[in-house]
Amino acid sequence: MYQTLSTQLENNILVITINRPDKMNALNQLVMAELALAVDEVYGNHDIKSAIITGAGEKAFVAGADISEFLTLTPKQGEELAKKGHVIFQRIENCPKPIIAAINGFALGGGCELAMACHFRLASENAKFGQPEVNLGLIPGYGGTQRLTQLIGKGKALELMMTGDMLNASEALSWGLVNHVVPLAELLPKAKSLLQKIHAKAPLAISRVIKCAHAALDKDIDGYDTEIKEFAACFATKDLQEGAKAFVEKRQANFKGE
Ligand code: COA
């Protein structure tokens, strides 16, 4: 169905693999268009409870936007490219179902930005991270200046974006860019087991914590107010009845997402 992605749905998890390994899975316009469609699938398909974004092969997650497409762009076209990227990555970030990045190699430029748009990140030991756009006379354009600053703080973000240096996986872990580092062979199993753990929780509560965490970073929204409203809305759900009842009855809750 896709030319630049492969998708696999198993145990309610959609694994979306960016599949251009000969080009280090670089994000050309077709990859971005297909990624948008795959994310639509995550939103719309009831069999999908969560998703993993990863890269094909053992070298790269995504080595950035496709540099070969930059040579002829005008500022206007550059603006359109960035705006499109922002829409797609915001859709990933705002997805009510968990979308996590399993970073299996280079996550550079747009690749690092894609990983940061996901709800959280796991990396293999060989992963490398960076925003090397300044080497090209460019800056991050898919939300990287904002999400990197939010995730690791302004000083570290500016160092990475100004030097273009790469972080290895253990540095990325200690800088707070990724949550876990595992051997490459354990990357997808670890990502899947974390998602299975999340699937057992109340789905509406999961989407509400995603919404509230983002509200914390949105200058136009009072995140505390959002939390109060989302907390209150939980009391209208069957899942809260089920969860509280299951606790009292000392049994596992069986949530329906209602
Ligand atoms: N856009 C387009 N093509 C890319 C690419 C990118 N971002 N990153 C890698 N490729 C291509 C290379 O051009 C090469 O294609 P070719 O075989 O047709 O010449 C192929 O992927 C393999 O890359 P190569 O550079 O030969 O691999 P390497 O192991 O020596 O180096 C990297 C790997 C990731 C360090 C290096 O490819 C790189 O620096 N890529 C660009 C990273 C970047 O600046 N990203 C930000 C873009 S805004």
Side-chain angles (χ1 to χ4, degrees):
M1 178 185 166
Y2 297 110
Q3 288 177 55
T4 61
L5 306 180
S6 64
T7 56
Q8 190 201 15
L9 178 58
E10 198 183 294
N11 297 324
N12 306 109
I13 300 171
L14 186 72
V15 179
I16 301 168
T17 306
I18 317 269
N19 194 13
R20 296 180 77 208
D22 54 324
K23 295 289 179 192
M24 299 275 164
N25 303 321
L27 300 174
N28 63 13
Q29 302 234 32
L30 183 58
V31 178
M32 292 298 274
E34 293 194 332
L35 188 57
L37 292 176
V39 173
D40 284 348
E41 240 189 285
V42 179
Y43 272 75
N45 182 341
H46 293 300
D47 290 336
I48 300 173
K49 292 186 179 169
S50 65
I52 297 170
I53 299 181
T54 193
E58 301 193 345
K59 277 193 87 172
F61 170 70
V62 166
D66 193 318
I67 298 166
S68 66
E69 292 184 340
F70 288 166
L71 284 166
T72 57
L73 290 191
T74 62
K76 181 78 195 139
Q77 289 167 323
E79 183 182 343
E80 281 160 14
L81 184 79
K83 278 186 173 164
K84 262 197 221 164
H86 276 245
V87 168
I88 297 166
F89 285 12
Q90 276 166 11
R91 203 152 151 75
I92 292 172
E93 183 166 64
N94 293 324
C95 184
K97 303 175 188 178
I99 301 183
I100 65 175
I103 300 144
N104 55 306
F106 290 109
L108 302 176
C112 192
E113 293 174 292
L114 172 60
M116 291 190 293
C118 293
H119 294 140
F120 59 87
R121 287 143 294 282
L122 279 62
S124 56
E125 288 163 342
N126 61 315
K128 288 211 163 62
F129 299 80
Q131 297 290 160
E133 287 87 349
V134 286
N135 293 327
L136 304 169
L138 206 55
I139 68 166
Y142 290 165
T145 59
Q146 306 303 294
R147 293 196 180 95
L148 191 63
T149 305
Q150 290 162 358
L151 266 172
I152 67 174
K154 192 169 91 172
K156 290 186 179 116
L158 280 174
E159 181 182 335
L160 272 190
M161 291 189 288
M162 292 196 291
T163 62
D165 280 350
M166 289 190 213
L167 295 181
N168 64 30
S170 61
E171 289 165 333
L173 183 66
S174 71
W175 283 34
L177 193 49
V178 301
N179 293 11
H180 302 276
V181 175
V182 295
L184 184 57
E186 287 167 33
L187 183 64
L188 284 182
K190 173 79 180 171
K192 288 175 181 174
S193 84
L194 277 167
L195 289 174
Q196 291 297 352
K197 185 185 275 189
I198 296 169
H199 289 182
K201 317 297 177 192
L204 295 173
I206 296 298
S207 58
R208 291 198 164 101
V209 289
I210 293 171
K211 187 174 176 185
C212 289
H214 291 142
L217 302 169
D218 189 329
K219 291 182 221 74
D220 298 326
I221 293 177
D222 181 336
Y224 291 99
D225 194 41
T226 302
E227 182 185 279
I228 291 167
K229 290 199 174 94
E230 295 299 321
F231 176 81
C234 294
F235 290 90
T237 65
K238 289 187 185 153
D239 280 353
L240 175 64
Q241 297 298 320
E242 164 63 9
K245 210 161 155 230
F247 177 79
V248 172
E249 292 171 3
K250 299 192 187 303
R251 62 171 174 82
Q252 192 83 29
N254 180 17
F255 293 116
K256 299 259 176 12
E258 293 171 357

